[in-house]
Amino acid sequence: MSSGIKVRPGTVADPGTPAARRTRLRGDLAARWHRDRVLLVLAVPGVIVLVMFHYLPLLGNVIAFQDYQPFLGISGSDFVGLSNFSVIFDGDPEFLNALVNTLIITMVQVLFVFPLPIALALVLNSMLNERAKRLTQSILYLPHFLSWVIVVALFQQMFGNGGMLNEWLRSADLGTFQIIGVPELFKLLITSQVIWKDTGWSTIIFLAALSKVDLNLYEAAAIDRAGPVRQLWHVTLPAIRPVIVLLLILRLGDSLTVGFEQILLQQGPVGAQASEVLDTYVYNNGIIGGNWGVSAAVGLVKGVVGVVLVLGANRLAHAMGERGVYSK
Amino acid sequence: MTGLLETPAERRARRNHRSASDERPAWMGRQPRWATAARGVLLTVACLAVIVPFVAVVMTSLAPQRDISARGGLVLFTSEPSLAAYRAVLSGGVVTRALSVSVAVTAVGTVLSLACTIMLAYALSRPGSLLHKPILLMTLFTLLFNPGMIPMYLIVKQLGLIDNLAALILPVVVNAFNVIVMRSFFLELPSELTESAKIDGAGELRILTLIVLPLSKAVVAVVGLFYAVAYWNAFFSALLYLPSPEKWPLQLVLRTFVVNQTPLGTDELSASTESLPPQASIQMAILVMSVIPILIIYPFIQKHFSKGLLIGAVKG
């Protein structure tokens, strides 16, 4: 803490007796309080909100160990040890189904959705006409700012049974193409929605990294007769590798969190078997179904696993010589 | 921001990078024709995939029954646009009420969020100040751990916020990511400015309002947009915390009447039956109204993205 304080006149380098040091420290604290009191007061509203809505709810996770009864409250409900966690350890089929769906969706997204913004950023970055590039970016960023309700509504209007695509196919006598409300294609549907909504926006960070690449490296590579492909492989990709690793780590940390609002909105017609993920399980089972303790237990395990995954992936990144989310 | 800190060499590099980018740099070989063409096709298709749904939705909201039944669904072009659907939807009733709820929540929420975020970020932009480290760690930690849906619901309930519009705002007033973005921007400002103001006798509040904020318009605009979009788009928190339909924001109305296809009748619209425009137009009008505020603000703030956000995100 003290490392950042500037030495003020009157502060002596001599440590002095313990008693003298204590008085000085106290004086120090008072002086610092006097100097920084406005800053501290400014921080108060934000700190209160964070404590109320991030730290207090963390404590609320104790109901994962309780037979929580809404009318008794947290203080009145009985503790039941780990029995709420039994759905997880005994492999309750509904829970397992949600877990499997979650992991499949994560895998599909890491494999197919994650590389897309990188490719798009490379294409955008290779555009020479600055105005066309800006216009393209403006258009492609936009869907990110639409809510999931809007995106789902747009997809229904375009691809639903009475949607634009099917009306067109019918008028051309080409049959119909059903993707909305078909359980087998549900994961494909939500993946394409994620791609439509966020691919453009996700390029922003890669474009920033690309703009920082030293142009002299390309020149040097060109002098060494490296063609466009080798320049991409030996200059561009290594330059943005730290950003790729960083985002991959963050994505892995969110492995158990996939498209909650998006899926909740479209669960009705496809059913739980195809669409239930851990977040919707917690919602449907807890808030709708009233199994508070069990749902809180699942939510808690999900949160802890997420943190462990981020920290683990970060360690792995360090071991591989990358910077990761935070430096060691 | 840029221009204050960079060295002449950096400025030259930046200018070269911008102005010369329309020409091919010497080291870059001529791109083969097919590559340029492929890129053009790819990007055009991507842009159309974003634009076409909007055009279809707007056109359908303006189209008369005749066009809609001729096409069976969405209309890409209508020869006689009419505002009947908007008139019906805005004449009072469910949608009008939801619209005013959404506008109020977004306005109040964004102002509150910006105020709290600016103050916290400014307090955290002085390394070495009292309690700087614990508060910073406390803020960062919230990024790592999400408390979970059920405990969150219980806290909101405990605070008596169920069925209260404040439940849409208070839990999300401060977003740690936005605080960090803004703090990084503040840290980048040259410390000589604040030092000299201090020597001239300015207090922290004066420095914040007269020096730091005017220099930080870009980041305030971007963070403000993020908050405003989050409030405007809030769907799940409303579903969770607002059981009575008369308090619903636009997103929930959109889900009920467009995504779930519940038909809107005269009860919901407070309009007479014979003058009711086609159901499809009404639904698309609701959709358009939920998109329009974003489309209006977006072009003004979009130019700040690179300046405001990236300084925070990449360097932070």
Side-chain angles (χ1 to χ4, degrees), chain A residues 32 36 39 42 53 55 57-58 61 68 123 126 128 130 138 141 145 147 156-157 164 196 260-261 287 307, chain B residues 21-22 39 49 76 119 123 128-130 138 145 147 151 154 233 236 240 251 259 284 294 298 302 305:
Chain A
R32 294 178 68 192
D36 296 334
L39 291 180
L42 285 177
F53 294 105
Y55 288 88
L58 278 185
N61 273 307
Y68 179 76
V123 172
S126 72
L128 289 178
E130 195 68 23
S138 308
Y141 290 167
F145 294 95
S147 71
Q156 279 187 354
Q157 296 301 322
M164 201 160 203
W196 186 82
F260 172 58
E261 288 193 2
I287 287 169
V307 174
Chain B
S21 58
D22 276 11
R39 192 178 57 203
L76 257 187
M119 293 195 298
S129 66
L130 192 61
M138 197 196 105
F145 204 96
L154 294 179
N233 284 346
F236 183 64
L240 207 51
Q251 302 289 338
V259 174
M284 292 309 100
I294 291 174
Y298 178 74
Q302 199 256 336
F305 280 162

Side-chain angles (χ1 to χ4, degrees), chain A:
Chain A
M1 278 304 293
S2 64
S3 59
I5 316 166
K6 298 202 177 87
V7 179
R8 289 187 314 280
T11 319
V12 203
D14 166 38
T17 62
R21 198 161 62 211
R22 225 173 301 129
T23 22
R24 208 178 55 238
L25 269 178
R26 208 175 298 133
D28 219 48
L29 204 64
R32 294 178 68 192
W33 158 250
H34 186 75
R35 187 191 62 183
D36 296 334
R37 65 189 191 288
V38 181
L39 291 180
L40 281 170
V41 171
L42 285 177
V44 165
V47 169
I48 290 178
V49 170
L50 291 178
V51 168
M52 290 262 277
F53 294 105
H54 281 272
Y55 288 88
L56 270 184
L58 278 185
L59 296 180
N61 273 307
V62 293
I63 72 158
F65 305 95
Q66 287 183 332
D67 175 25
Y68 179 76
Q69 303 294 334
F71 50 90
L72 292 176
I74 293 178
S75 48
S77 299
D78 292 333
F79 277 89
V80 291
L82 290 177
S83 72
N84 285 328
F85 293 83
S86 63
V87 281
I88 301 174
F89 299 127
D90 297 350
D92 170 64
E94 277 176 45
F95 167 77
L96 277 185
N97 176 44
L99 181 66
V100 168
N101 279 335
T102 308
L103 292 177
I104 292 176
I105 294 171
T106 295
M107 224 150 64
V108 169
Q109 295 197 348
V110 169
L111 286 179
F112 298 105
V113 182
F114 185 78
L116 279 177
I118 303 176
L120 183 62
L122 290 172
V123 172
L124 282 171
N125 193 52
S126 72
M127 282 175 86
L128 289 178
N129 186 331
E130 195 68 23
R131 288 181 69 186
K133 183 174 161 186
R134 290 253 176 82
L135 182 69
T136 319
Q137 279 173 285
S138 308
I139 292 172
L140 294 180
Y141 290 167
L142 181 64
H144 172 76
F145 294 95
L146 306 178
S147 71
W148 274 114
V149 189
I150 296 173
V151 175
V152 169
L154 283 176
F155 262 73
Q156 279 187 354
Q157 296 301 322
M158 299 308 287
F159 300 111
N161 190 26
M164 201 160 203
L165 177 76
N166 280 322
E167 287 303 331
W168 181 76
L169 287 175
R170 243 171 274 172
S171 67
D173 270 333
L174 290 168
T176 53
F177 170 71
Q178 299 294 350
I179 180 169
I180 310 270
V182 184
E184 293 76 30
L185 296 180
F186 184 72
K187 293 184 181 75
L188 181 68
L189 173 71
I190 62 168
T191 306
S192 56
Q193 287 167 343
V194 170
I195 290 174
W196 186 82
K197 189 174 193 278
D198 275 332
T199 302
W201 178 252
S202 313
T203 60
I204 205 168
I205 193 159
F206 296 111
L207 283 170
L210 286 170
S211 74
K212 294 216 171 72
V213 181
D214 186 356
L215 295 182
N216 292 326
L217 290 175
Y218 290 105
E219 206 172 342
I223 290 170
D224 289 341
R225 320 210 72 177
V229 177
R230 305 206 70 173
Q231 285 182 19
L232 175 73
W233 187 253
H234 291 291
V235 180
T236 311
L237 287 180
I240 60 172
R241 193 175 63 178
V243 178
I244 297 179
V245 171
L246 172 81
L247 292 183
L248 200 54
I249 292 173
L250 293 176
R251 181 68 198 81
L252 288 175
D254 279 342
S255 292
L256 300 183
T257 308
V258 284
F260 172 58
E261 288 193 2
Q262 178 194 9
I263 291 172
L264 194 66
L265 278 163
Q266 305 180 85
Q267 259 191 332
V270 293
Q273 187 63 31
S275 67
E276 191 91 304
V277 292
L278 287 180
D279 281 329
T280 56
Y281 176 88
V282 170
Y283 174 73
N284 289 329
N285 200 28
I287 287 169
I288 302 295
N291 280 323
W292 297 93
V294 171
S295 291
V298 172
L300 182 61
V301 168
K302 178 182 162 275
V304 172
V305 171
V307 174
V308 169
L309 281 174
V310 175
L311 298 179
N314 206 41
R315 276 212 127 147
L316 195 68
H318 281 160
M320 284 159 53
E322 295 286 348
R323 209 174 136 249
V325 179
Y326 54 86
S327 332
K328 258 183 280 193

Side-chain angles (χ1 to χ4, degrees), chain B residues 18-196:
Chain B
R18 286 228 178 117
S19 62
S21 58
D22 276 11
E23 304 150 26
R24 195 159 352 98
W27 45 263
M28 193 190 272
R30 177 174 289 277
Q31 290 178 336
R33 212 115 333 113
W34 64 265
T36 317
R39 192 178 57 203
V41 170
L42 184 85
L43 291 178
T44 311
V45 168
C47 287
L48 282 179
V50 172
I51 294 170
V52 170
F54 287 107
V55 175
V57 163
V58 172
M59 278 297 172
T60 310
S61 73
L62 297 171
Q65 185 64 54
R66 192 157 45 81
D67 283 0
I68 293 175
S69 22
R71 292 286 314 150
L74 291 189
V75 180
L76 257 187
F77 180 77
T78 174
S79 48
E80 38 180 328
S82 92
L83 289 173
Y86 292 91
R87 228 170 283 135
V89 158
L90 292 176
S91 64
V94 177
V95 184
T96 320
R97 207 164 44 209
L99 192 65
S100 47
V101 168
S102 279
V103 169
V105 166
T106 305
V108 174
T110 307
V111 169
L112 263 180
S113 285
L114 270 181
C116 290
T117 305
I118 290 170
M119 293 195 298
L120 182 56
Y122 183 70
L124 289 175
S125 70
R126 290 294 172 73
S129 66
L130 192 61
L131 294 179
H132 171 266
K133 254 191 194 159
I135 298 180
L136 181 61
L137 280 179
M138 197 196 105
T139 309
L140 287 173
F141 184 71
T142 63
L143 287 175
L144 193 62
F145 204 96
N146 180 333
M149 187 191 309
I150 305 266
M152 201 67 190
Y153 178 83
L154 294 179
I155 288 286
V156 170
K157 199 173 151 199
Q158 209 95 57
L159 292 171
L161 292 177
I162 295 293
D163 218 16
N164 186 332
L165 287 179
L168 300 189
I169 299 178
L170 290 180
V172 289
V173 156
V174 175
N175 174 305
F177 177 77
N178 289 340
V179 173
I180 300 304
V181 167
M182 207 174 261
R183 169 180 183 265
S184 320
F185 196 95
F186 290 164
L187 282 173
E188 293 269 308
L189 294 173
S191 59
E192 289 82 2
L193 280 175
T194 46
E195 298 285 321
S196 65

Side-chain angles (χ1 to χ4, degrees), chain B residues 14-15 17 48 58 112 121 165 171 210 212 224 257 264 289 313:
Chain B
R14 181 169 58 86
R15 261 204 222 122
H17 193 64
L48 282 179
V58 172
L112 263 180
L165 287 179
L210 293 181
V212 172
F257 296 109
L264 277 118
M289 282 193 301

